[in-house]
Amino acid sequence: MRQMLIADDEQSILDTLKIFFENEGYGVDTALGAAAAKSLMDGAIYDLVITDLRLMDGSGEEILEYSKGINRSSEVIIMTAYGTVESAVRGMKMGAFDYVIKPVSPEKLLLRVQRAVERQNLMAEVGALRKEFFDKYSFQNIMGKSPRLLEALGVVSRVAATDVSVLIEGENGTGKDLFARAIHNNSPRAQGPFVAINCSGLNEGLLDSELFGHVRGAFTGAIANRTGLFEESNGGTLFLDEVGSMPLSVQAKLLRVLQDRIIQRLGSNKMVKIDTRLITASNRKLLDLVKKGEFREDLYYRIRVVEIRIPSLIERRSDILLLSNFFLEKFSKAMGRNVAGFSREAMNKILEYHWPGNVRELENSIESAVALCRNSMIEMDDLPKSISTTDGLINYVATHSAITLEELEKRYIIETLKAHNWNQKKTADNLAIGRNTLWRKIRKYRIQIPPPLKLPA
Ligand SMILES: Nc1ncnc2c1ncn2[C@@H]1O[C@H](COP(=O)(O)OP(=O)(O)OP(=O)(O)O)[C@@H](O)[C@H]1O
Ligand SMILES: [Mg+2]
């Protein structure tokens, strides 16, 4: 049975509504005023809270906040007199399910209560399904079920237990950080430190002293001793992000350290033994940098004893739906909003888009959509403009292939002809060109029109 709490200043209203809703099969508690309502909420979980906006000892907004603080999925309906609709609207923005104007007709209120219950049922169902789904397809917060991602995860679980150096390659936002942490967390070094540094944007001297440390007076400005990250990550893992940006001089030093397993702080001749597992990441293909002479080949082979390539999101479209739902759940929880899913239109756009910023872009887009969403579903309008207005296919072609404009035109004409059963008039109409123009293009591109099918007499 659904439990509801009704709060008002007038005993007669409470009595009427209690009898009415008990007859409809609800469990009903009533509270005369805000303090009474709060003390009841302290002792029981209510599925629904119906409260007057103005109470002699408090406000409906206060009750709303209190109730959401105890149980986010409990829905609150606000009753208000005519003059106070604005504050009722404010209540909606704070997460109330709905409001009704006084004098309240129990029948009308019932309709709203029923809608709130429907939403709760839906959310519970979606929540249970999602949990099952997420447990099945996650490893250390890494979600995915596409074969290519699972392959990469397989490597993670195999190398985690060892001490070998791992190179992670993947475009921006594909999850390189996440993977590096997953390796560390599943390794025997998990209790040790995980130290990360981004090699891009640091000049030679700075990166050198960050990694290897220095002693006081080693250079102008070295006013104190500094432990390097290699020493700090002793017993744990050192993660060098954007390793491709490392200046050649630092590369030479890193190579020596990896060979000897010993470091010397800048300006010191003391040798320090190190016990660190190295994980590196790059958003560019490191081998290309080797070919261009920007990355040392010997170092390359030393850091990529095992290589993991994380596929870009477009290479694993089958994960988009799973990730979208995962982020939807994550952000609706974080923002205290009950968003059940995506409209079909919105989902199609998401699936169609080419996601140049990969998982990070998807995550950010869903976060803003959840914040903007006004209904229980994310609609097209809630998505960032770059996604809702883009033509995914054209965008994909433009970014991923070297096709010429003429080639594109030719193929587009062929596909349109096929779609209209090789009917040239319909094709020309569809392309909004004249039949003569179409005919000229067919000749120019030497498009073969198949002879009409002869049906048996
Ligand atoms: N498979 C995944 N499942 C869940 N969340 C993911 C997944 N992949 C990436 N993310 C999330 O996407 C965001 C970007 O991931 P991450 O920072 O690991 O990418 P990156 O490859 O290191 O990016 P960059 O190259 O920009 O540094 C993070 O918030 C991360 O939690
Ligand atoms: Mg990163």
Side-chain angles (χ1 to χ4, degrees), residues 176-177 239 241-242 360:
K176 297 185 292 296
D177 247 85
F239 175 45
D241 205 352
E242 310 261 343
R360 174 172 296 115

Side-chain angles (χ1 to χ4, degrees), residues 69-125:
I70 293 171
N71 173 19
R72 184 175 68 91
S73 60
S74 134
E75 298 289 8
V76 178
I77 296 174
I78 292 178
M79 300 184 285
T80 175
Y82 255 116
T84 49
V85 171
E86 275 107 51
S87 16
V89 170
R90 203 162 66 229
M92 298 289 288
K93 286 191 182 144
M94 287 168 62
F97 177 76
D98 209 341
Y99 67 91
V100 290
I101 291 169
K102 281 183 152 186
V104 172
S105 115
E107 285 77 17
K108 273 195 189 150
L109 188 53
L110 177 64
L111 286 178
R112 304 221 156 91
V113 164
Q114 283 166 340
R115 271 190 31 224
V117 169
E118 270 166 31
R119 153 114 66 125
Q120 277 172 342
N121 287 341
L122 179 66
M123 292 303 299
E125 211 174 292

Side-chain angles (χ1 to χ4, degrees), residues 126 130 133-134 320-330 340-342 347 366:
V126 168
R130 283 213 185 111
F133 199 57
F134 292 157
I320 296 180
L321 188 64
L322 172 69
L323 284 164
S324 304
N325 278 303
F326 174 69
F327 292 131
L328 178 79
E329 173 88 2
K330 170 173 159 187
F342 300 87
M347 197 68 241
I366 306 278

Side-chain angles (χ1 to χ4, degrees), residues 141-144 149 170-179 198 239 241-242 283 310 316 323 326-327 330 359-360 363:
N141 299 325
I142 304 176
M143 309 293 304
L149 189 85
E171 289 175 14
N172 284 335
T174 45
K176 297 185 292 296
D177 247 85
L178 215 52
F179 269 64
N198 191 325
F239 175 45
D241 205 352
E242 310 261 343
N283 57 3
I310 310 182
R316 49 182 179 114
L323 284 164
F326 174 69
F327 292 131
K330 170 173 159 187
V359 186
R360 174 172 296 115
E363 181 173 16

